[in-house]
């Protein structure tokens, strides 16, 4: 329901959806932690993999603005992290997948709470070696452009094999 051919409208839709649906998330988490005596150290939101959700954006050369929108929404609702700046490329990669992957270094450098992931292989589909090779370059570039922040961009990036789907 957030899909749009215009990246700016897409960003507006995801911001509104997150800030509407998750507006009470932190408060409820704190109430549950108090009720059950179990601290909730990090409050986190996860969204549909952005490579899928943003695939229809025709006027986007990158998805950095989407990461920045996710970050803004996460700050607004008070969560520590927001995951889903992700691509699932174990069976092959679409144009949108490559666009997201190549956006990762700048996205990690310009956001505080956004986490990225790329699933490059599975037991069933095998390993997408093109994605593995590209992710090596992406990790290196992310480390370089976040070096002034102790390479923190790489701490917010996961490269998976056999990631659980549809969770």
């Amino acid at each position: 329901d957030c899909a749009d051919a215009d990246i700016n409208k897409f960003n507006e839709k995801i911001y509104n959806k997150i800030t509407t649906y998750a507006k009470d998330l932190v408060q409820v988490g704190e109430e549950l932690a108090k009720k059950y005596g179990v601290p909730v150290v990090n409050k986190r939101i996860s969204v549909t993999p952005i490579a899928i959700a943003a695939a229809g954006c025709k006027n986007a050369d990158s998805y950095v603005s989407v990461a920045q929108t996710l970050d803004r929404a996460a700050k607004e609702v008070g969560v520590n992290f927001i995951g889903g700046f992700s691509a699932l490329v174990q069976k092959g990669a679409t144009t949108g997948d490559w666009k997201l992957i190549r956006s990762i270094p700048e996205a990690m450098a310009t956001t505080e709470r956004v986490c990225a992931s790329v699933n490059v292989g599975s037991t069933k589909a095998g390993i997408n070696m093109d994605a593995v090779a590209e992710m090596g370059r992406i990790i290196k570039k992310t480390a370089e452009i976040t070096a002034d922040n102790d390479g923190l961009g790489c701490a917010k990036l996961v490269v998976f094999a056999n990631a659980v789907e549809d969770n």
Side-chain angles (χ1 to χ4, degrees), residues 43-81:
K43 286 84 175 174
R44 180 182 175 111
I45 295 171
S46 186
V47 299
T48 298
I50 292 300
I52 296 170
C57 297
K58 303 297 183 203
N59 65 335
D61 293 327
S62 87
Y63 294 149
V64 172
S65 70
V66 178
Q68 293 166 341
T69 299
L70 292 171
D71 200 53
R72 210 166 34 91
K75 287 176 186 173
E76 175 68 26
V77 299
V79 296
N80 304 95
F81 297 105

Side-chain angles (χ1 to χ4, degrees), residues 77-101:
V77 299
V79 296
N80 304 95
F81 297 105
I82 186 162
F85 195 75
S86 306
L88 307 173
V89 299
Q90 67 275 11
K91 295 179 187 175
T94 65
T95 302
D97 292 324
W98 290 120
K99 198 176 294 186
L100 181 125
I101 288 169

Side-chain angles (χ1 to χ4, degrees), residues 20-58:
T20 299
Y21 283 92
K23 69 181 180 344
D24 298 323
L25 179 67
V26 171
Q27 177 188 341
V28 170
E30 288 170 357
E31 289 170 4
L32 290 171
K34 187 176 179 179
K35 178 178 179 178
Y36 294 107
V38 178
V40 178
V41 178
N42 288 310
K43 286 84 175 174
R44 180 182 175 111
I45 295 171
S46 186
V47 299
T48 298
I50 292 300
I52 296 170
C57 297
K58 303 297 183 203

Side-chain angles (χ1 to χ4, degrees), residues 69-141:
T69 299
L70 292 171
D71 200 53
R72 210 166 34 91
K75 287 176 186 173
E76 175 68 26
V77 299
V79 296
N80 304 95
F81 297 105
I82 186 162
F85 195 75
S86 306
L88 307 173
V89 299
Q90 67 275 11
K91 295 179 187 175
T94 65
T95 302
D97 292 324
W98 290 120
K99 198 176 294 186
L100 181 125
I101 288 169
R102 292 184 177 126
S103 299
I104 289 172
E106 186 180 350
M108 296 300 96
T110 62
T111 63
E112 181 182 339
R113 301 168 193 226
V114 174
C115 297
S117 67
V118 179
N119 190 61
V120 297
S122 72
T123 303
K124 185 176 179 181
I127 300 171
N128 181 336
M129 293 306 291
D130 291 331
V132 171
E134 184 63 14
M135 287 311 300
R137 291 184 284 273
I138 293 300
I139 292 166
K140 185 175 183 209
K141 185 174 181 184

